């Protein structure tokens, strides 16, 4: 469980850094990376909530 939380924090900070780099450099590749990381973070969050729900059931 702590691994999923740490993973979500890492993804959130990575997305924030990519967006900040986009604003500083105006290079769209950082925004593309932020979108990709956001998709992966959404999957990680979904897995986190699935594991959380399974812990309650079991």
């Amino acid at each position: 469980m702590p691994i999923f939380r740490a993973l979500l924090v890492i993804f959130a900070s990575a997305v924030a850094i990519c967006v900040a780099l986009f604003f500083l450099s105006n290079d769209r590749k950082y925004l593309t990376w932020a979108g990709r990381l956001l998709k992966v973070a959404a999957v990680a969050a979904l897995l986190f909530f699935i594991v959380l729900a399974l812990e309650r059931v079991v």
Side-chain angles (χ1 to χ4, degrees):
M1 198 60 137
I3 294 171
F4 282 119
R5 288 181 183 169
L7 193 63
L8 291 177
V9 169
I10 290 170
F11 277 125
S13 60
V15 168
I17 289 170
C18 284
V19 170
L21 285 172
F22 168 70
F23 284 133
L24 291 174
S25 68
N26 207 17
D27 191 359
R28 292 209 37 100
K29 73 175 177 182
Y30 295 117
L31 201 57
T32 304
W33 272 101
R36 289 178 187 165
L37 286 171
L38 196 60
K39 288 177 188 176
V40 174
V43 170
L46 184 64
L47 287 173
F48 172 76
F49 288 120
I50 288 172
V51 169
L52 190 67
L54 286 175
E55 282 183 354
R56 286 202 167 256
V57 172
V58 175

